[in-house]
Short mmCIF file of all heavy atoms in Angstrom, two decimals:
data_model
loop_
_atom_site.label_atom_id
_atom_site.label_comp_id
_atom_site.label_asym_id
_atom_site.label_seq_id
_atom_site.Cartn_x
_atom_site.Cartn_y
_atom_site.Cartn_z
N ALA A 1 89.65 75.48 106.75
CA ALA A 1 90.03 76.53 105.81
C ALA A 1 89.19 76.41 104.54
O ALA A 1 88.76 75.32 104.16
CB ALA A 1 91.51 76.43 105.48
N LEU A 2 88.97 77.54 103.88
CA LEU A 2 88.17 77.58 102.66
C LEU A 2 89.02 78.12 101.52
O LEU A 2 89.41 79.29 101.52
CB LEU A 2 86.94 78.48 102.86
CG LEU A 2 86.02 78.65 101.65
CD1 LEU A 2 85.31 77.33 101.32
CD2 LEU A 2 85.00 79.77 101.88
N LEU A 3 89.32 77.27 100.56
CA LEU A 3 90.09 77.66 99.38
C LEU A 3 89.15 78.08 98.26
O LEU A 3 88.12 77.42 98.04
CB LEU A 3 90.97 76.50 98.90
CG LEU A 3 92.23 76.21 99.73
CD1 LEU A 3 92.66 74.77 99.54
CD2 LEU A 3 93.36 77.17 99.33
N GLU A 4 89.51 79.14 97.55
CA GLU A 4 88.66 79.66 96.49
C GLU A 4 89.39 79.65 95.15
O GLU A 4 90.49 80.20 95.02
CB GLU A 4 88.21 81.09 96.80
CG GLU A 4 87.35 81.20 98.03
CD GLU A 4 86.95 82.62 98.33
OE1 GLU A 4 87.19 83.52 97.50
OE2 GLU A 4 86.40 82.84 99.43
N ASN A 5 88.75 78.99 94.17
CA ASN A 5 89.18 79.06 92.77
C ASN A 5 90.58 78.53 92.53
O ASN A 5 91.28 79.00 91.64
CB ASN A 5 89.05 80.51 92.26
CG ASN A 5 87.63 81.03 92.42
OD1 ASN A 5 86.67 80.36 92.05
ND2 ASN A 5 87.50 82.21 93.01
N VAL A 6 90.99 77.53 93.32
CA VAL A 6 92.25 76.85 93.09
C VAL A 6 92.00 75.60 92.25
O VAL A 6 90.87 75.13 92.12
CB VAL A 6 92.95 76.46 94.41
CG1 VAL A 6 93.30 77.69 95.23
CG2 VAL A 6 92.08 75.50 95.22
N VAL A 7 93.07 75.06 91.67
CA VAL A 7 92.99 73.83 90.88
C VAL A 7 93.65 72.71 91.67
O VAL A 7 94.75 72.89 92.23
CB VAL A 7 93.68 74.02 89.52
CG1 VAL A 7 93.69 72.71 88.74
CG2 VAL A 7 92.97 75.11 88.71
N LEU A 8 93.00 71.54 91.72
CA LEU A 8 93.52 70.42 92.48
C LEU A 8 94.20 69.41 91.56
O LEU A 8 93.77 69.20 90.41
CB LEU A 8 92.40 69.72 93.26
CG LEU A 8 91.60 70.57 94.24
CD1 LEU A 8 90.64 69.68 95.03
CD2 LEU A 8 92.49 71.36 95.18
N ASN A 9 95.24 68.79 92.07
CA ASN A 9 95.89 67.69 91.37
C ASN A 9 95.07 66.42 91.55
O ASN A 9 94.06 66.39 92.27
CB ASN A 9 97.31 67.49 91.91
CG ASN A 9 98.18 68.72 91.68
OD1 ASN A 9 98.25 69.22 90.56
ND2 ASN A 9 98.86 69.17 92.73
N GLU A 10 95.51 65.32 90.92
CA GLU A 10 94.75 64.06 90.99
C GLU A 10 94.66 63.53 92.41
O GLU A 10 93.69 62.86 92.76
CB GLU A 10 95.41 63.02 90.08
CG GLU A 10 95.22 63.30 88.60
CD GLU A 10 95.76 62.17 87.73
OE1 GLU A 10 96.22 61.15 88.30
OE2 GLU A 10 95.73 62.31 86.49
N ASP A 11 95.66 63.83 93.25
CA ASP A 11 95.64 63.36 94.64
C ASP A 11 94.95 64.36 95.57
O ASP A 11 95.04 64.26 96.79
CB ASP A 11 97.06 63.07 95.13
CG ASP A 11 97.94 64.31 95.14
OD1 ASP A 11 97.48 65.38 94.66
OD2 ASP A 11 99.09 64.23 95.61
N ASN A 12 94.26 65.35 94.98
CA ASN A 12 93.53 66.40 95.71
C ASN A 12 94.44 67.36 96.46
O ASN A 12 93.98 68.10 97.34
CB ASN A 12 92.49 65.80 96.66
CG ASN A 12 91.18 65.49 95.94
OD1 ASN A 12 91.17 65.34 94.71
ND2 ASN A 12 90.09 65.39 96.68
N SER A 13 95.72 67.35 96.15
CA SER A 13 96.59 68.43 96.64
C SER A 13 96.38 69.64 95.75
O SER A 13 95.89 69.54 94.61
CB SER A 13 98.06 67.99 96.60
OG SER A 13 98.47 67.73 95.26
N VAL A 14 96.73 70.82 96.25
CA VAL A 14 96.49 72.06 95.52
C VAL A 14 97.68 72.40 94.64
O VAL A 14 98.83 72.36 95.09
CB VAL A 14 96.22 73.23 96.50
CG1 VAL A 14 95.95 74.52 95.73
CG2 VAL A 14 95.05 72.91 97.41
N ASP A 15 97.40 72.72 93.39
CA ASP A 15 98.43 73.24 92.50
C ASP A 15 98.41 74.76 92.61
O ASP A 15 97.63 75.44 91.94
CB ASP A 15 98.17 72.80 91.05
CG ASP A 15 99.27 73.24 90.09
OD1 ASP A 15 100.12 74.06 90.49
OD2 ASP A 15 99.28 72.76 88.94
N PHE A 16 99.24 75.29 93.49
CA PHE A 16 99.21 76.72 93.77
C PHE A 16 99.71 77.57 92.60
O PHE A 16 99.50 78.78 92.58
CB PHE A 16 100.01 77.04 95.03
CG PHE A 16 99.39 76.52 96.29
CD1 PHE A 16 99.96 75.47 97.00
CD2 PHE A 16 98.22 77.08 96.79
CE1 PHE A 16 99.39 74.98 98.16
CE2 PHE A 16 97.63 76.60 97.95
CZ PHE A 16 98.22 75.55 98.64
N GLU A 17 100.37 76.95 91.64
CA GLU A 17 100.88 77.69 90.49
C GLU A 17 99.87 77.77 89.36
O GLU A 17 100.04 78.54 88.41
CB GLU A 17 102.17 77.04 89.98
CG GLU A 17 103.32 77.11 90.99
CD GLU A 17 104.59 76.49 90.46
OE1 GLU A 17 104.59 76.01 89.30
OE2 GLU A 17 105.60 76.49 91.19
N ASP A 18 98.80 76.99 89.43
CA ASP A 18 97.80 76.97 88.36
C ASP A 18 96.83 78.14 88.55
O ASP A 18 96.08 78.21 89.52
CB ASP A 18 97.03 75.64 88.40
CG ASP A 18 96.16 75.43 87.16
OD1 ASP A 18 95.62 76.43 86.64
OD2 ASP A 18 96.03 74.27 86.72
N THR A 19 96.87 79.07 87.60
CA THR A 19 96.01 80.25 87.66
C THR A 19 94.97 80.22 86.53
O THR A 19 94.52 81.27 86.07
CB THR A 19 96.85 81.54 87.57
OG1 THR A 19 97.60 81.52 86.34
CG2 THR A 19 97.80 81.64 88.74
N SER A 20 94.62 79.02 86.08
CA SER A 20 93.70 78.91 84.94
C SER A 20 92.30 79.44 85.27
O SER A 20 91.57 79.86 84.38
CB SER A 20 93.62 77.45 84.47
OG SER A 20 93.21 76.60 85.53
N ILE A 21 91.91 79.42 86.55
CA ILE A 21 90.61 80.00 86.94
C ILE A 21 90.76 81.50 87.19
O ILE A 21 89.99 82.30 86.69
CB ILE A 21 90.05 79.29 88.20
CG1 ILE A 21 89.82 77.80 87.92
CG2 ILE A 21 88.74 79.95 88.65
CD1 ILE A 21 89.36 77.01 89.12
N THR A 22 91.78 81.87 87.95
CA THR A 22 92.06 83.27 88.25
C THR A 22 93.44 83.37 88.90
O THR A 22 93.93 82.41 89.50
CB THR A 22 91.01 83.86 89.22
OG1 THR A 22 91.36 85.22 89.53
CG2 THR A 22 90.95 83.07 90.52
N GLN A 23 94.05 84.54 88.79
CA GLN A 23 95.28 84.80 89.54
C GLN A 23 94.96 85.12 91.00
O GLN A 23 95.83 85.04 91.86
CB GLN A 23 96.05 85.97 88.92
CG GLN A 23 96.68 85.62 87.58
CD GLN A 23 97.91 86.46 87.28
OE1 GLN A 23 98.24 87.40 88.00
NE2 GLN A 23 98.62 86.11 86.23
N ASN A 24 93.70 85.46 91.26
CA ASN A 24 93.27 85.84 92.61
C ASN A 24 92.80 84.61 93.39
O ASN A 24 91.71 84.60 93.97
CB ASN A 24 92.17 86.90 92.52
CG ASN A 24 91.84 87.50 93.87
OD1 ASN A 24 92.71 87.71 94.70
ND2 ASN A 24 90.56 87.80 94.08
N THR A 25 93.62 83.55 93.41
CA THR A 25 93.29 82.38 94.23
C THR A 25 93.44 82.76 95.70
O THR A 25 94.37 83.47 96.08
CB THR A 25 94.19 81.20 93.88
OG1 THR A 25 95.57 81.63 93.91
CG2 THR A 25 93.88 80.68 92.48
N ARG A 26 92.54 82.26 96.55
CA ARG A 26 92.48 82.73 97.93
C ARG A 26 92.23 81.59 98.90
O ARG A 26 91.72 80.52 98.54
CB ARG A 26 91.32 83.73 98.08
CG ARG A 26 91.51 85.05 97.35
CD ARG A 26 92.19 86.06 98.22
NE ARG A 26 92.34 87.35 97.59
CZ ARG A 26 92.80 88.42 98.22
NH1 ARG A 26 93.14 88.34 99.49
NH2 ARG A 26 92.92 89.56 97.59
N VAL A 27 92.55 81.86 100.16
CA VAL A 27 92.15 80.99 101.26
C VAL A 27 91.72 81.84 102.44
O VAL A 27 92.33 82.88 102.73
CB VAL A 27 93.29 80.03 101.68
CG1 VAL A 27 94.48 80.79 102.27
CG2 VAL A 27 92.77 79.01 102.70
N SER A 28 90.64 81.44 103.09
CA SER A 28 90.26 82.05 104.37
C SER A 28 90.40 80.99 105.45
O SER A 28 90.13 79.81 105.22
CB SER A 28 88.82 82.59 104.34
OG SER A 28 87.88 81.53 104.25
N TYR A 29 90.83 81.42 106.62
CA TYR A 29 90.95 80.51 107.76
C TYR A 29 90.85 81.33 109.05
O TYR A 29 91.19 82.51 109.08
CB TYR A 29 92.27 79.74 107.72
CG TYR A 29 93.50 80.59 107.49
CD1 TYR A 29 94.14 81.24 108.54
CD2 TYR A 29 94.04 80.72 106.21
CE1 TYR A 29 95.27 82.02 108.33
CE2 TYR A 29 95.17 81.49 105.99
CZ TYR A 29 95.78 82.14 107.05
OH TYR A 29 96.90 82.92 106.83
N PRO A 30 90.34 80.72 110.13
CA PRO A 30 90.28 81.43 111.41
C PRO A 30 91.69 81.72 111.89
O PRO A 30 92.62 80.96 111.63
CB PRO A 30 89.55 80.45 112.33
CG PRO A 30 89.76 79.11 111.70
CD PRO A 30 89.84 79.34 110.23
N ILE A 31 91.86 82.81 112.59
CA ILE A 31 93.19 83.26 112.96
C ILE A 31 93.93 82.25 113.83
O ILE A 31 95.15 82.18 113.83
CB ILE A 31 93.13 84.65 113.65
CG1 ILE A 31 94.52 85.31 113.65
CG2 ILE A 31 92.53 84.55 115.04
CD1 ILE A 31 94.50 86.77 114.03
N HIS A 32 93.17 81.40 114.56
CA HIS A 32 93.85 80.42 115.40
C HIS A 32 94.51 79.29 114.59
O HIS A 32 95.19 78.44 115.16
CB HIS A 32 92.89 79.84 116.46
CG HIS A 32 91.66 79.21 115.91
ND1 HIS A 32 90.42 79.81 116.00
CD2 HIS A 32 91.45 78.04 115.25
CE1 HIS A 32 89.51 79.04 115.44
NE2 HIS A 32 90.11 77.95 114.98
N HIS A 33 94.33 79.28 113.27
CA HIS A 33 95.10 78.36 112.44
C HIS A 33 96.57 78.78 112.35
O HIS A 33 97.41 77.99 111.94
CB HIS A 33 94.51 78.28 111.03
CG HIS A 33 93.37 77.33 110.92
ND1 HIS A 33 92.97 76.76 109.73
CD2 HIS A 33 92.52 76.85 111.85
CE1 HIS A 33 91.94 75.97 109.93
NE2 HIS A 33 91.63 76.01 111.22
N ILE A 34 96.85 80.04 112.72
CA ILE A 34 98.24 80.51 112.83
C ILE A 34 98.69 80.25 114.26
O ILE A 34 97.99 80.58 115.22
CB ILE A 34 98.34 82.01 112.51
CG1 ILE A 34 97.89 82.28 111.07
CG2 ILE A 34 99.76 82.52 112.74
CD1 ILE A 34 98.84 81.82 110.00
N LYS A 35 99.86 79.64 114.41
CA LYS A 35 100.31 79.25 115.76
C LYS A 35 100.61 80.46 116.65
O LYS A 35 100.22 80.50 117.81
CB LYS A 35 101.57 78.38 115.64
CG LYS A 35 101.31 76.97 115.13
CD LYS A 35 102.59 76.15 115.14
CE LYS A 35 102.33 74.72 114.67
NZ LYS A 35 103.57 73.91 114.66
#
């Protein structure tokens, strides 16, 4: 998966509530990532 313009915490987890870069944070992934 490719995450765009998200902010990472110290443990490299994503802070999905942080919109300091943009509110338009995104992810792309191939459809087979959905079960």
